[in-house]
Amino acid sequence: MGVFSSPSISHYPMARPCNLGSLSRHGFSSLSLKPPAFSTGDKRFHGVGLIRASVAVEQQAEKTKVALVRIGTRGSPLALAQAHETREKLMAIHPELAEDGAIQIVIIKTTGDKILSQPLADIGGKGLFTKEIDDALINGDIDIAVHSMKDVPTYLPEKTILPCNLPREDVRDAFISLSVGSLAELPAGSVIGTASLRRKSQLLNRYPSLNVLENFRGNVQTRLRKLNEGVVQATLLALAGLRRLNMTETVTSILSIDEMLPAVAQGAIGIACRSDDDKMANYLASLNHEETRLAVVCERAFLETLDGSCRTPIAGYASRDEDGNCIFKGLVASPDGTRVLETSRRGPYAIDDMVAMGKDAGKELLSRAGPGFFDS
């Protein structure tokens, strides 16, 4: 069973391996990185020990220098990797930010990080991983906020803007199992762990004989540990996160877009600032990847039209084809996977056209779904 079975991802640019070494020069004490307690001998999990599931970062009481940019982020290894990527890009473009202490990373614990015992849909859905960070931004405790775009609600808090998306990573989902090479090989009754209703509904639509453990939450390392302990026979994770964590050795196979349509904005990093902070807006403008931003805008227009949340299985993906046009694919499903409705659009890769495509696709699926569709 190969680490990367078909289809190949060689044509996607590899993310720089994250280095979560000492943060002391940015106002924090060093990170404590200890390998997780894996008992398996499976070689694909050797890289997991690079980043501990729980990263403790303590802010030093005394700052030797006032930071020019304070980056707000969650404290998970993946969130920190994304914050570090942002920091490195800022330092590479702006010499004044390359000075010691010029950029400070501020760890903020969100509601979604604190409550792990319940499904996301039961504790409020969207905004669970962003609200506290947004509050810190509005209150002036941080200057910019780094988010996984798929966690960001379709509405933004007042006094904030999100003008920047970094280049998008691979949007596909990865299948991970210690016993089989693909979803199709799982025996009937096998348990797959996922907290995503989008993944659950598409899985059950294709493989109704499988069982889904819904409240399979925690960061990447926690979910891999649960897999290793035999809690589930397989799981699905965003390939983007595994690449940013330099943990692709854990991947069994990769699901194509046709097999598993990704979440809206999957693989995209968004960076927000205050709407009246021109200095930060200019910094972020220098980092923005416009092709990614337009794709995310299209997908979020689709999501907003459907009024989507963590309670509704919705998937959407906008990409540029070989002719330079936008291809959008959208999907809604009943939670039990018995009904899946899909649609697609093609048009110019320009913001007005792409917003219109996303909205129109959403309206079509709302009409086709009818009342009560998401209640099953």
Side-chain angles (χ1 to χ4, degrees):
M1 165 167 51
V3 171
F4 283 112
S5 62
S6 178
S8 169
I9 66 165
S10 59
H11 62 287
Y12 287 88
M14 281 298 288
R16 180 181 299 175
C18 69
N19 179 1
L20 301 183
S22 174
L23 292 181
S24 58
R25 73 188 187 101
H26 298 290
F28 291 91
S29 57
S30 298
L31 293 177
S32 174
L33 302 180
K34 299 179 182 178
F38 286 127
S39 59
T40 184
D42 194 303
K43 294 180 180 179
R44 292 174 295 144
F45 285 85
H46 289 177
V48 179
L50 294 175
I51 304 175
R52 185 166 170 75
S54 175
V55 178
V57 183
E58 294 184 359
Q59 194 168 357
Q60 290 180 350
E62 295 182 1
K63 307 287 192 306
T64 57
K65 181 177 180 179
V66 176
L68 298 178
V69 178
R70 295 164 299 168
I71 300 176
T73 177
R74 295 169 59 204
S76 72
L78 178 56
L80 285 172
Q82 294 177 166
H84 280 239
E85 181 179 342
T86 301
R87 184 190 69 180
E88 289 169 10
K89 289 180 181 295
L90 284 169
M91 291 171 66
I93 297 174
H94 303 282
E96 71 274 20
L97 299 183
E99 299 292 329
D100 280 356
I103 299 179
Q104 176 189 347
I105 293 177
V106 181
I107 311 300
I108 299 168
K109 199 159 191 177
T110 66
T111 302
D113 297 314
K114 297 171 186 174
I115 304 174
L116 296 174
S117 59
Q118 299 171 256
L120 292 175
D122 293 347
I123 54 175
K126 288 289 184 181
L128 292 172
F129 296 107
T130 59
K131 184 182 184 303
E132 286 81 0
I133 299 175
D134 290 333
D135 289 345
L137 180 62
I138 293 168
N139 294 335
D141 298 322
I142 58 174
D143 301 302
I144 62 176
V146 177
H147 298 298
S148 291
M149 277 304 301
K150 69 177 182 178
D151 292 336
V152 178
T154 51
Y155 59 89
L156 295 178
E158 289 186 17
K159 302 180 182 179
T160 71
I161 55 174
L162 206 159
C164 174
N165 290 117
L166 299 186
R168 197 173 198 173
E169 250 293 358
D170 195 316
V171 303
R172 294 174 294 175
D173 283 317
F175 171 76
I176 304 175
S177 176
L178 302 178
S179 56
V180 298
S182 68
L183 274 170
E185 296 175 35
L186 283 171
S190 296
V191 179
I192 298 185
T194 178
S196 163
L197 289 182
R198 170 190 65 87
R199 291 183 178 123
K200 174 191 171 184
S201 60
Q202 291 185 77
L203 275 172
L204 293 179
N205 181 258
R206 286 178 173 270
Y207 305 99
S209 66
L210 298 178
N211 294 318
V212 176
L213 179 62
E214 292 183 39
N215 194 29
F216 194 72
R217 293 188 52 209
N219 61 34
V220 171
Q221 290 80 0
T222 299
R223 283 181 272 181
L224 290 176
R225 175 179 54 77
K226 290 178 180 178
L227 171 65
N228 178 70
E229 292 171 350
V231 176
V232 295
Q233 281 73 61
T235 189
L236 299 178
L237 296 173
L239 183 58
L242 294 170
R243 292 181 66 141
R244 289 189 174 115
L245 289 168
N246 197 30
M247 290 172 59
T248 51
E249 72 277 3
T250 65
V251 175
T252 304
S253 61
I254 299 168
L255 304 182
S256 70
I257 297 297
D258 292 333
E259 290 177 286
M260 181 67 66
L261 197 63
V264 164
Q266 183 156 309
I269 296 171
I271 311 175
C273 66
R274 288 180 293 278
S275 54
D276 62 354
D277 194 335
D278 293 339
K279 182 177 182 180
M280 293 302 136
N282 288 333
Y283 278 144
L284 297 187
S286 69
L287 299 187
N288 182 55
H289 187 254
E290 190 64 3
E291 181 174 334
T292 296
R293 189 182 76 86
L294 293 182
V296 168
V297 166
C298 176
E299 294 165 20
R300 283 167 61 82
F302 171 72
L303 183 65
E304 184 177 19
T305 302
L306 290 166
D307 193 24
S309 73
C310 286
R311 291 182 178 274
T312 50
I314 297 171
Y317 177 49
S319 60
R320 191 193 293 267
D321 68 11
E322 61 274 9
D323 298 321
N325 290 310
C326 174
I327 300 293
F328 174 76
K329 296 181 178 181
L331 173 154
V332 296
S334 58
D336 62 4
T338 54
R339 292 185 65 196
V340 172
L341 304 178
E342 300 177 76
T343 191
S344 63
R345 296 290 187 277
R346 183 176 185 272
Y349 208 97
I351 187 164
D352 290 342
D353 298 275
M354 293 171 72
V355 168
M357 278 190 280
K359 288 183 176 180
D360 189 60
K363 289 175 182 177
E364 178 200 327
L365 292 186
L366 271 180
S367 175
R368 289 168 57 190
F373 179 82
F374 296 112
D375 298 333
S376 57

